[in-house]
Amino acid sequence: MIAAPAHRPNPLKKLVRTFLLERTMWGIPRSDRVLDFCCGWGFYFSINPKAAGVDGDPRSVAELRAKGYNVRQANVLEPLPFPDGAFDWVLAHDVLEHFTFDELERVMTNVHRVLSPGGRFIVWVPNRKGYDYGIEIDVGHKLYVTEAEIRRLIPGRFALEKNYAEPLPRELGRAFTHNKEVFFLRRL
């Protein structure tokens, strides 16, 4: 399966997102040992241009490669085109909700393999309002991912270190489409 292409980002929204909303991403080391899983049009590269990326959309991959980024095209439900333990961090921003639960089992196996022992897998998923909005605008949301789903996916592979809402606290953020749930998973 090659994922549906991501929507090309609006430059103003990208700027606001990069500098005002994504606090967690700024705390990740800027190194080549970070993988942006399903990187789309490369939002994270504006924070860490040294990172690697993988995506199924040939258009976005070609554009990012032309800009000099280390991006590979791959079916992310198959073994990823990187060696075992190649990364200390894997990021999945607004990604997991585009897969079924069975597909997420394969994603978790693939991410686990490319992470170093003790490496971190950071997952951002939309809150309920954001998930429903994605269905409304037809961007391919398949599963509303909650802490319960994450806990069902991680036994033997990852430990859940923390879960929080971003950028607004959970109670306040429920009213906003772009509030996220963030999960820090540590590879066992």
Side-chain angles (χ1 to χ4, degrees):
M1 172 202 157
I2 295 179
H7 290 283
R8 190 177 294 274
N10 169 303
L12 179 59
K13 286 182 181 178
K14 181 180 175 184
L15 186 70
V16 168
R17 183 176 165 198
T18 302
F19 294 102
L20 299 177
L21 301 179
E22 300 298 344
R23 294 186 311 257
T24 298
M25 284 189 179
W26 286 97
I28 298 165
R30 289 176 206 35
S31 84
D32 60 358
R33 300 233 353 127
V34 179
L35 174 64
D36 188 354
F37 182 82
C38 294
C39 61
W41 294 100
F43 159 71
Y44 179 65
F45 295 119
S46 61
I47 295 171
N48 179 9
K50 297 177 188 176
V54 63
D55 201 276
D57 178 14
R59 294 173 311 130
S60 61
V61 169
E63 184 173 306
L64 291 169
R65 290 177 64 100
K67 292 178 179 177
Y69 297 116
N70 177 16
V71 179
R72 298 185 190 178
Q73 183 181 341
N75 176 345
V76 297
L77 296 177
E78 300 298 326
L80 298 173
F82 303 101
D84 294 0
F87 301 101
D88 296 326
W89 300 83
V90 174
L91 316 178
H93 194 283
D94 284 342
V95 171
L96 299 190
E97 65 274 10
H98 295 271
F99 296 96
T100 66
F101 190 84
D102 289 341
E103 290 169 333
L104 286 181
E105 290 277 358
R106 292 165 46 196
V107 165
M108 290 294 191
T109 298
N110 292 337
V111 169
H112 183 269
R113 183 187 65 76
V114 300
L115 265 174
S116 60
R120 301 303 194 284
F121 182 28
I122 305 176
V123 172
W124 290 259
V125 294
N127 65 9
R128 184 75 222 197
K129 190 171 180 81
Y131 174 78
D132 290 342
Y133 177 68
I135 290 175
E136 213 176 283
I137 61 171
D138 194 26
V139 293
H141 286 184
K142 295 180 181 178
L143 179 67
Y144 176 51
V145 180
T146 65
E147 184 176 341
E149 281 76 31
I150 295 292
R151 288 191 181 281
R152 284 179 48 210
L153 288 162
I154 65 174
R157 295 185 267 227
F158 299 96
L160 176 58
E161 290 188 327
K162 55 186 167 180
N163 164 231
Y164 55 89
E166 181 180 87
L168 301 171
R170 196 170 280 117
E171 290 305 315
L172 180 61
R174 287 177 195 206
F176 295 91
T177 302
H178 295 293
N179 222 51
K180 309 290 181 197
E181 286 290 319
V182 182
F183 297 91
F184 266 73
L185 307 176
R186 181 179 43 80
R187 182 191 186 273
L188 300 176

